[in-house]
Amino acid sequence: MPAYPILEYLWIIPLLPLLGSAINGLLGSKWPNKYATTAAISSTGLSFLCALEAVREFFANGQQLVHKQYFDWIVAGNFRGGFDLQMDQLTVVMVLVVTGVGWLIHIYSVGYMGHEGGYYRFFSYLNLFMFFMLILVLAANYALLFVGWEGVGLSSYLLIGFYFLRKSASDAGKKAFIVNRIGDFGFMLGMFLLFRTFHTLDFRAIFDAAANPAWGHEAWGQFGTFTVACLLLFMGATGKSAQLPLYVWLPDAMEGPTPVSALIHAATMVTAGVYVVARSHILFVHSETAMVVVAVVGCATAFFAATIGLVQTDIKRVLAYSTVSQLGYMFLACGVGAFGAGIFHLMTHAFFKALLFLAAGSVIHAIGGEQDMNKMGGLWKKIPWTFWTMLTATLAIAGIFPLAGFFSKDQILLGAYQISGGKPLYAVGLLTALLTAFYMFRLIFLTFTGKPRFDEHKAHVHESPWSMLGPLVALAILSVIGGWVAAPALFQGRDYFADFLAPIFGTQENAEVLGAASAHTLELTLAFVAVIAAAIGIGVAYWMYLAKPGKADELAKSMKPAYTTLLNKYYVDEFYAAAVVRPLVWLSTNVFWKAADVAGIDGTVNAIAQGATSIGDGVRHSQSGNTRSYAVWVVVGAIVILAVIFFWPSASKTAVGMVR
Amino acid sequence: MTAQLVVFFALAALAVIGAVSLILQKHPIHSALSLIVVMVALAGLYLLMGAEFVAAVQIIVYGGAIMVLFVFVIMLLNAGVEEHTSISKMAGIPGLLLVVALAGFVAATIAKSGASVQAATQTGMLSSTKGISEMVFKDFVYPFELTSFLILVAILGATVLAQREKS
Amino acid sequence: MISLLSANAELIITIVKIALLLFIVLTVNAYLTWFERKVVAHMQSRWGPHRVGPHGLLQPLADGVKFLFKEDPTPAGVDKFVYYLAPLLALSLALTSIAIIPFGPEPLHLFGHDIYLGIAPLNLNIGILALFAITALGVYGVALAGWSSNSKYPLLGGLRSSAQMVSYELALTMSVVGVLLMAGSFNLRDIINAQASHPERGLLGWNVWPQILGFFCFFTAAVAETNRVPFDLPEAESELVAGFHTEYASFKFAMFFIAEYTSMITVSCLCTIMFFGGWLSPFPASWTFTHYVPSLILIPAGLWVIWDGLRYETVFGRMVLPGVGSVITLLGALFVALPDVNNFIQGPFWLLSKILGFLFVYVWMRGTLPRFRYDQLMAFGWKLLLPVSIVNVIITSFVILMWGKK
Amino acid sequence: MIPTNYYVILSAILFGLGVFAFIFRRNIITIFMSIELMLNAVNLAFVAFSQALGKLDGQVFVLFVIVVAAAEAAVGLGIIILIARNRQTLNVERVDLLKL
């Protein structure tokens, strides 16, 4: 029994969900639901406990990096892709988020999926996702990380297409998968480049190598190795984390069951990109260009998605776009070098966005599968728990003091404001915050207040069972207090979260930029401004949807083109279809299928076969059926061989060589 | 002309005559008899070379078993004189040419391979049955076992072939 | 002349030996017929031949003359060549097989040459194999005779004999493997000497005790090989008239006849040599007084013959039998008188007496046993003899492997 | 002492005669016998070489050849009996179902 058992056997943490997945996947079909439930919940719960224990040991161990090599997965030449797990501060945050939120969502799913078919299948997939996500965050090298990366992609595909009988669902699954492939392609190129540069894929080795200033300009320069590698990695991140231009799959991914949206497409998987960028921040900080790109893309995505979110009427789609925009925030943070803030926002966002989705799920569950906000309203009296928890989350995401969202968003804006030339980024970020507050409250008002717009008789509204409300409450609490670890910073205190991550990201830059005191005043002002912006957004929403209902429609009519554009999400999907999909379909149909496959490959094979047949037909005539003719042929062959032996200078020696 | 050489030529002539008569005889049983003559002559040659064991086995197995089977089958089927057909008349000449070519090439190859073979004369000292048995049961034990399997298969096959299908 | 003789004395000696052996064997054959008829007759409480000469002793001569002067018709439509070849083949092969048998241990010293009893050279390493080779060819005589007679009974006889001989040859060969393993040689002399490895054991050292299974298999198979009762299906008179030699008359028939009896003798020799210690005396070697056993048998026998002749009614008998008797008695006395001769004849004496015993067993079986049915014959050969003899081989080799060569 | 050549030439001649018999004769049984003749010729060569080289391998091979020949005879004669039974002929030229 080693001193720190779990740290010693880190693989236990990901293994448990895999076990649950295997059990459910292999035996679940024969089982009643409650066994599947037990397997899934217990496995994830256990892995959550193990994670907690691991964290305890991590602290007890003096917060030093744990790196374990368990076995060699691929060994080729000087390449070693090992099954290596590591644990440091960043991993701690991620693991806790994944296992904790994941476990809550598992519990929620028990209630939510209770009446669905393929119950065991759902949990098998969900546990599989947990396994791969944990592999992703625990991996100690890019190769293994990529395994988790692809694995979560797979599980997300499986879960989006969970209702595979619905064409839209399976299409959405395929879309997500394919779009992710584009990003992953870049990611793999990035990995190859890294390997070519550093001759390894282990994090520690690469970062140590990258940190040393020996690298010349060609490496750090505008189009140096690092820049290219970072951009390629970031391409993967945009795919996985739904950033411009690859964000299109995420809204469609809402076809999956709501818990899936909550777990995968809000809390954990989509943040993998952020995690990767943060994980390889040493590379990024060495490449100005990459940083700028990340910041701009993140910022643009945030604003862009927020604008689309303004007009969506499908409750889950609104949340999806808000997720995209929040992810944009995180990348903005990374781009401006405030990695700590990015991860911080990642965590808080995991709390409140998961909560939002679950609450939305609860709403949908309550009124019988309806997702259009225009057919809701006045629900708050009927489902108070859902309402209050969701309101909490909304406040949190809107960045109202003192909820979790406030602190994280505040840090991001601060980081954006402080870097040179970051003002425009800050402005857009602020505007986005305003928009966020607006559309989130629009969602609240449309859903819970006003007069019911749905058929009372058909849909008998009911509060969700406790198995669903429990996680809601837990997450609500988290999204209230989740940010307080950074709270003291406002009052000249210490930012515990930043300090905790400091060993990885280094301390926040603002301290160096200008004096601590001025930095503090600046921080306060910025926070104040942000809150004001949020308040404005809320106010507008109140004015448009409560005070004067119908004002929204007037507005929509008055500025028709903009409205329709937004409603159609800037026609991005259509654009992609025209620019990418159709040409590809044409190419593969006419060139690869008809020309290459049918004409080329099949043609060759068939030709060979027919050739053989015709030859056989020809030779067949030599079979006279007379035994002695065969004998004659044999003799002729023998004579030929003997002739060769005889006239071949060396052959005679070899043939009769046995005599010697 | 040593005595051995005389014996050799006598036996060789006997063998060749037997082979020729195998070809020329009209009735299969006469062919069989001629073949037996050939085999006995060959056994004599083996003895001359000093390969006593092989000679004995040659007569016991070939003469005493295989050829008896042939004679038995000929008697059983009451095989008569074979009739001529157009093809068979034609077959003679080209067949002869082919055979001459074959034998010629063999002889030529041996002759060309030259001194080594001619020099290697028959010592006749190599007659150890023990040595053969050791080779069979040590060096060639796996082939030996395989041949036992072969024989088993042959027995089964012969049984299956010989039994009349029960109706 | 002398020089020529001395030049290739070996050759001359061999020729002489052959002539002698031929004479002896043929005579023994002739009197074997008499012996057989007498014994069977007494078994069936008849007198048997007793007209021609005293006790019918001249019957064989009479038969020979009859064979010689009988008409010899050749059936129509027979394949002449084969028809004439078959009996020759049978007889010559049968006689040849005798040549392998050694009849005595020590050489006879004459004119400065060591003359061994038996024709084959001493170091005939494949003795037993050669014997089997010759007996294996023996089948052709019968089969070809049956086929060439161009008649259905002989054909059936030939088919039967060929099938039967091929079948029983397997058992015959397998059953002696045990003996060969114990002797470690194919040479007949070595086989006999191997049984003499413990002189004090006397007849307990013979192969028949360890190889009892092998002996029975061998003897049965050998009887079948010689087409004798109860395996005489090729000439089963109740089914096939006279089997393969139905169409043969006079001297050709006699050839088959002689061939059959000769092969009987050969088989008896083989049994004696391989299982009953050949020329070894049944008594421990130290009992030198047993060397007088021959005389002890010969002298009383001779005296009895004299007495028997004296009270014979015909004049011829009164003259012949005492003569023969006195010759026998003198031989016995001679042996007593000349110890060297006595020692020399010990081997041949025991060998011949054992052979005589086996010949008697042959006749005995003919007098007692009924004939097999054909399917019984085949089943017996393939399903009993062959497996048993193989088991015998396995056991023997196992024992030799475990407890070494005895 | 006799040169190995003689034996080899003799075996070549016998083999050739066997081949010729195979081609020339029409009776299945005779053809089969000619095969045996060829095998015997090969055996002769084997023994000759083994004696010439002072190695016993050749003679062992001969034993194997004989075994194979025995098995072949058993099966082949069985087949011949079947042919004679089914087609009432032993002439190979009448057994040509394979002919087009």
Side-chain angles (χ1 to χ4, degrees):
Chain A
M1 191 70 181
Y4 301 114
I6 300 293
L7 288 191
E8 198 60 34
Y9 304 111
L10 271 178
W11 50 264
I12 292 177
I13 301 176
L15 190 70
L16 285 163
L18 180 61
L19 222 58
S21 165
I23 294 173
N24 274 341
L26 297 177
L27 311 172
S29 55
K30 308 272 178 305
W31 279 356
N33 285 357
K34 61 173 182 292
Y35 292 174
T37 313
T38 322
I41 301 296
S42 58
S43 59
T44 39
L46 274 176
S47 107
F48 179 45
L49 291 181
C50 291
L52 286 176
E53 166 64 10
V55 172
R56 188 195 65 73
E57 290 168 4
F58 179 72
F59 279 99
N61 197 15
Q63 297 203 10
Q64 57 207 11
L65 171 70
V66 181
H67 184 277
K68 295 262 174 270
Q69 294 195 350
Y70 288 112
F71 61 84
D72 291 352
W73 167 42
I74 305 172
V75 176
N78 59 350
F79 172 75
R80 176 183 177 281
F83 184 81
D84 309 342
L85 302 183
Q86 74 171 22
M87 190 150 198
D88 59 5
Q89 288 80 356
L90 180 53
T91 318
V92 166
V93 176
M94 291 308 287
V95 166
L96 284 184
V97 168
V98 170
T99 50
V101 178
W103 185 49
L104 288 175
I105 291 176
H106 270 75
I107 298 173
Y108 175 89
S109 315
V110 175
Y112 187 85
M113 298 298 292
H115 318 301
E116 305 282 349
Y119 186 78
Y120 71 94
R121 192 160 54 88
F122 177 81
F123 276 108
S124 169
Y125 293 163
L126 218 53
N127 285 12
L128 190 66
F129 166 80
M130 292 289 284
F131 164 70
F132 279 121
M133 193 65 201
L134 285 166
I135 289 290
L136 192 158
V137 298
L138 282 168
N141 57 39
Y142 279 105
L144 192 59
L145 182 145
F146 192 65
V147 174
W149 186 268
E150 290 300 318
V152 291
L154 167 69
S155 359
S156 116
Y157 162 76
L158 289 171
L159 282 165
I160 295 171
F162 182 74
Y163 302 115
F164 51 81
L165 293 180
R166 220 165 54 205
K167 185 167 190 322
S168 59
S170 53
D171 286 351
K174 282 180 227 154
K175 187 174 183 181
F177 206 64
I178 293 163
V179 174
N180 269 307
R181 288 288 78 61
I182 299 170
D184 298 342
F185 178 63
F187 192 89
M188 289 178 75
L189 288 181
M191 284 205 302
F192 298 155
L193 183 56
L194 285 177
F195 181 70
R196 188 177 155 286
T197 318
F198 299 102
H199 308 299
T200 175
L201 284 180
D202 289 341
F203 289 148
R204 279 191 310 183
I206 290 185
F207 298 152
D208 298 350
N212 85 28
W215 295 93
H217 179 72
E218 78 288 348
W220 291 356
Q222 192 159 14
F223 292 107
T225 320
F226 284 20
T227 311
V228 180
C230 292
L231 286 179
L232 287 171
L233 289 181
F234 181 62
M235 183 173 164
T238 52
K240 189 63 73 183
S241 298
Q243 294 300 296
L244 281 173
L246 298 180
Y247 72 98
V248 287
W249 63 272
L250 188 54
D252 295 12
M254 295 305 132
E255 290 289 345
T258 311
V260 175
S261 318
L263 174 58
I264 300 182
H265 307 119
T268 52
M269 184 188 86
V270 289
T271 63
V274 183
Y275 166 75
V276 166
V277 173
R279 170 61 71 190
S280 33
H281 68 282
I282 295 180
L283 302 176
F284 277 88
V285 294
H286 281 144
S287 158
E288 298 301 332
T289 324
M291 291 295 271
V292 172
V293 170
V294 172
V296 170
V297 168
C299 187
T301 312
F303 177 74
F304 183 78
T307 50
I308 299 178
L310 292 177
V311 299
Q312 297 298 320
T313 57
D314 182 329
I315 182 168
K316 283 181 70 178
R317 282 184 179 276
V318 174
L319 292 178
Y321 281 106
S322 101
T323 308
V324 176
S325 121
Q326 296 304 313
L327 289 166
Y329 263 112
M330 298 175 206
F331 278 106
L332 171 61
C334 296
V336 299
F339 294 100
I343 294 301
F344 188 32
H345 192 57
L346 187 159
M347 180 178 79
T348 53
H349 171 260
F351 297 150
F352 54 66
K353 183 51 65 67
L355 173 52
L356 281 172
F357 267 110
L358 295 188
S362 167
V363 170
I364 296 165
H365 188 262
I367 64 171
E370 182 52 60
Q371 298 200 1
D372 187 349
M373 292 192 292
N374 293 333
K375 299 198 173 55
M376 300 181 183
L379 285 172
W380 72 279
K381 276 192 229 61
K382 298 208 171 50
I383 44 176
W385 283 100
T386 314
F387 170 62
W388 288 114
T389 47
M390 193 160 187
L391 186 59
T392 323
T394 315
L395 290 170
I397 194 176
I400 300 301
F401 183 84
L403 282 71
F406 165 76
F407 297 99
S408 50
K409 200 174 287 185
D410 176 36
Q411 280 192 5
I412 294 174
L413 292 176
L414 177 64
Y417 184 85
Q418 280 172 333
I419 65 161
S420 55
K423 302 288 182 296
L425 294 177
Y426 169 75
V428 178
L430 196 61
L431 183 51
T432 310
L434 190 157
L435 293 177
T436 311
F438 171 77
Y439 65 70
M440 285 312 296
F441 271 90
R442 167 170 172 271
L443 183 152
I444 291 290
F445 294 146
L446 281 178
T447 309
F448 290 99
T449 61
K451 68 173 72 65
R453 292 182 296 277
F454 55 87
D455 184 350
E456 298 275 4
H457 315 297
K458 191 145 46 55
H460 44 80
V461 181
H462 56 285
E463 182 62 280
S464 308
W466 273 107
S467 66
M468 289 164 67
L469 294 185
L472 290 184
V473 175
L475 283 169
I477 295 167
L478 277 177
S479 35
V480 173
I481 66 167
W484 293 358
V485 286
L490 278 182
F491 319 106
Q492 300 284 36
R494 301 184 56 247
D495 185 337
Y496 291 105
F497 194 81
D499 297 349
F500 175 58
L501 289 179
I504 301 178
F505 299 130
T507 49
Q508 297 285 27
E509 288 77 359
N510 57 4
E512 296 86 50
V513 177
L514 33 120
S518 54
H520 182 55
T521 50
L522 172 65
E523 192 167 352
L524 280 182
T525 38
L526 288 187
F528 184 67
V529 173
V531 175
I532 295 302
I536 294 174
I538 300 173
V540 173
Y542 177 82
W543 176 66
M544 280 177 65
Y545 292 97
L546 275 189
K548 289 192 166 49
K551 198 91 179 99
D553 305 340
E554 294 170 20
L555 206 57
K557 280 189 204 62
S558 60
M559 40 173 69
K560 190 102 175 99
Y563 178 75
T564 44
T565 318
L566 289 182
L567 203 57
N568 292 310
K569 323 182 203 78
Y570 294 99
Y571 301 102
V572 172
D573 284 336
E574 291 74 3
F575 169 71
Y576 282 170
V580 184
V581 179
R582 275 198 212 87
L584 267 180
V585 170
W586 181 89
L587 188 69
S588 35
T589 315
N590 293 334
V591 178
F592 295 129
W593 175 30
K594 292 205 174 106
D597 194 25
V598 176
I601 300 170
D602 294 2
T604 323
V605 175
N606 294 338
I608 292 172
Q610 278 151 7
T613 322
S614 49
I615 291 173
D617 264 342
V619 176
R620 178 155 141 271
H621 290 278
S622 71
Q623 296 236 334
S624 68
N626 182 351
T627 324
R628 303 184 305 168
S629 67
Y630 302 152
V632 169
W633 288 118
V634 174
V635 173
V636 170
I639 290 178
V640 168
I641 291 172
L642 279 170
V644 170
I645 292 175
F646 182 60
F647 293 114
W648 209 283
S650 64
S652 70
K653 292 186 189 61
T654 54
V656 196
M658 54 183 173
V659 176
R660 258 173 221 85
Chain B
M1 290 290 272
T2 68
Q4 277 197 334
L5 216 47
V6 176
V7 178
F8 170 79
F9 279 120
L11 288 172
L14 192 59
V16 173
I17 291 166
V20 172
S21 104
L22 162 68
I23 297 174
L24 295 184
Q25 290 290 348
K26 288 275 168 291
H27 200 290
I29 212 152
H30 294 158
S31 307
L33 289 175
S34 355
L35 186 53
I36 296 167
V37 171
V38 176
M39 284 165 175
V40 174
L42 286 183
L45 284 173
Y46 295 157
L47 271 180
L48 187 64
M49 282 189 268
E52 297 169 337
F53 184 73
V54 177
V57 171
Q58 163 92 359
I59 290 191
I60 292 178
V61 178
Y62 263 127
I66 297 181
M67 290 321 292
V68 174
L69 274 184
F70 274 95
V71 173
F72 181 85
V73 169
I74 293 169
M75 287 160 65
L76 189 70
L77 301 181
N78 200 358
V81 177
E82 64 191 13
E83 81 278 17
H84 278 274
T85 56
S86 56
I87 315 174
S88 61
K89 287 202 194 58
M90 288 155 41
I93 307 311
L96 197 54
L97 293 178
L98 278 175
V99 172
V100 168
L102 186 62
F105 267 122
V106 171
T109 317
I110 302 300
K112 184 183 179 187
S113 72
S116 56
V117 189
Q118 280 118 0
T121 54
Q122 297 304 314
T123 59
M125 288 303 102
L126 191 66
S127 69
S128 106
T129 308
K130 189 186 287 290
I132 290 179
S133 66
E134 272 170 359
M135 290 207 75
V136 170
F137 288 106
K138 292 210 179 92
D139 308 358
F140 292 91
V141 63
Y142 294 115
F144 180 72
E145 297 300 332
L146 275 180
T147 47
S148 64
F149 275 109
L150 175 71
I151 292 178
L152 180 64
V153 173
I155 293 173
L156 294 179
T159 323
V160 172
L161 287 175
Q163 72 185 359
R164 298 179 177 279
E165 58 282 358
K166 297 150 192 64
S167 55
Chain C
M1 186 60 194
I2 301 300
S3 64
L4 184 66
L5 283 182
S6 54
N8 27 29
E10 292 303 325
L11 191 60
I12 292 164
I13 291 172
T14 320
I15 290 168
V16 173
K17 273 199 231 169
I18 290 173
L20 234 104
L21 190 66
L22 267 182
F23 173 74
I24 296 172
V25 168
L26 290 177
T27 322
V28 170
N29 273 325
Y31 276 90
L32 203 54
T33 59
W34 173 83
F35 177 71
E36 180 167 20
R37 290 170 72 176
K38 272 292 187 193
V39 173
V40 173
H42 282 82
M43 284 179 176
Q44 299 163 348
S45 62
R46 297 185 280 111
W47 279 113
H50 61 291
R51 294 296 178 82
V52 189
H55 301 288
L57 272 175
L58 301 183
Q59 185 70 40
L61 267 64
D63 290 345
V65 172
K66 179 194 73 179
F67 279 135
L68 278 179
F69 292 111
K70 239 183 168 180
E71 185 198 359
D72 182 4
T74 301
V78 300
D79 185 321
K80 280 274 182 355
F81 176 67
V82 183
Y83 180 76
Y84 284 107
L85 177 71
L88 276 173
L89 210 57
L91 179 56
S92 53
L93 287 169
L95 289 174
T96 321
S97 57
I98 292 279
I100 313 281
I101 311 287
F103 289 96
E106 293 90 5
L108 193 61
H109 297 285
L110 282 179
F111 320 123
H113 290 286
D114 288 4
I115 301 170
Y116 284 89
L117 302 185
I119 295 168
L122 288 182
N123 60 349
L124 183 57
N125 298 329
I126 55 165
I128 183 72
L129 279 181
L131 210 53
F132 281 142
I134 295 164
T135 44
L137 290 182
V139 63
Y140 288 112
V142 180
L144 293 178
W147 175 79
S148 62
S149 307
N150 187 22
S151 154
K152 58 170 112 32
Y153 291 127
L155 183 65
L156 284 174
L159 282 173
R160 282 183 175 190
S161 73
S162 48
Q164 165 181 344
M165 287 198 171
V166 171
S167 313
Y168 279 78
E169 204 173 322
L170 277 169
L172 189 75
T173 323
M174 292 303 292
S175 54
V176 299
V177 173
V179 175
L180 298 178
L181 283 172
M182 292 176 70
S185 160
F186 288 119
N187 190 331
L188 294 172
R189 289 177 177 273
D190 296 353
I191 292 173
I192 297 174
N193 297 336
Q195 305 182 53
S197 52
H198 297 284
E200 291 319 306
R201 288 197 191 155
L203 79 170
L204 292 182
W206 294 350
N207 278 341
V208 67
W209 308 121
Q211 288 297 321
I212 187 71
L213 270 176
F215 167 67
F216 281 119
C217 292
F218 177 81
F219 189 65
T220 326
V223 174
E225 280 284 306
T226 50
N227 293 333
R228 290 286 302 185
V229 182
F231 299 101
D232 58 343
L233 280 85
E235 45 197 296
E237 60 271 13
S238 55
E239 308 166 19
L240 306 175
V241 188
F244 61 90
H245 53 65
T246 309
E247 303 293 342
Y248 284 88
S250 101
F251 201 73
K252 293 208 220 49
F253 168 73
M255 285 182 175
F256 282 117
F257 204 73
I258 299 167
E260 178 173 333
Y261 280 81
T262 317
S263 48
M264 274 168 64
I265 296 175
T266 321
V267 167
S268 309
C269 297
L270 269 183
C271 286
T272 315
I273 287 172
M274 284 193 296
F275 294 97
F276 285 84
W279 54 62
L280 302 176
S281 130
F283 306 107
S286 53
W287 300 1
T288 44
F289 57 86
T290 57
H291 289 188
Y292 295 102
V293 173
S295 323
L296 221 59
I297 294 173
L298 284 179
I299 295 172
L303 292 177
W304 179 83
V305 172
I306 295 172
W307 171 75
D308 180 55
L310 289 181
R311 65 180 184 76
Y312 211 79
E313 55 269 17
T314 64
V315 184
F316 184 69
R318 287 213 193 90
M319 287 162 59
V320 173
L321 285 181
V324 178
S326 47
V327 169
I328 297 172
T329 324
L330 281 180
L331 264 179
L334 185 74
F335 295 158
V336 179
L338 306 175
D340 299 350
V341 179
N342 195 15
N343 289 339
F344 176 78
I345 59 107
Q346 289 297 323
F349 170 77
W350 287 116
L351 183 68
L352 293 176
S353 44
K354 289 169 188 171
I355 291 172
L356 210 61
F358 272 105
L359 290 175
F360 173 75
V361 174
Y362 261 107
V363 176
W364 186 12
M365 292 201 320
R366 172 172 185 186
T368 36
L369 291 180
R371 182 181 300 125
F372 274 103
R373 225 170 49 220
Y374 195 70
D375 58 335
Q376 290 171 335
L377 175 91
M378 280 298 159
F380 185 72
W382 285 105
K383 298 180 186 167
L384 182 65
L385 280 187
L386 189 58
V388 169
S389 48
I390 290 174
V391 166
N392 174 44
V393 172
I394 293 171
I395 294 172
T396 315
S397 43
F398 179 76
V399 169
I400 289 176
L401 194 67
M402 283 292 116
W403 295 284
K405 266 199 159 72
K406 280 176 288 302
Chain D
M1 278 309 165
I2 305 153
T4 311
N5 247 7
Y6 292 12
Y7 289 103
V8 179
I9 300 288
L10 173 62
S11 107
I13 294 169
L14 288 180
F15 190 86
L17 287 171
V19 173
F20 183 66
F22 193 109
I23 296 173
F24 182 66
R25 297 304 298 266
R26 293 164 298 287
N27 188 319
I28 295 182
I29 301 176
T30 324
I31 288 177
F32 205 7
M33 284 193 270
S34 65
I35 294 175
E36 298 293 337
L37 178 58
M38 291 188 244
L39 284 172
N40 273 291
V42 173
N43 287 356
L44 181 62
F46 264 130
V47 176
F49 281 131
S50 95
Q51 291 290 357
L53 301 176
K55 290 215 192 81
L56 281 175
D57 307 43
Q59 305 192 22
V60 176
F61 287 157
V62 170
L63 293 187
F64 283 132
V65 170
I66 291 177
V67 171
V68 173
E72 171 212 0
V75 178
L77 288 172
I79 292 172
I80 288 177
I81 291 178
L82 271 190
I83 290 175
R85 189 187 292 157
N86 296 336
R87 300 183 62 81
Q88 277 71 36
T89 177
L90 287 173
N91 184 344
V92 282
E93 285 162 6
R94 303 226 181 288
V95 188
D96 53 4
L97 285 181
L98 271 180
K99 186 184 290 181
L100 265 72

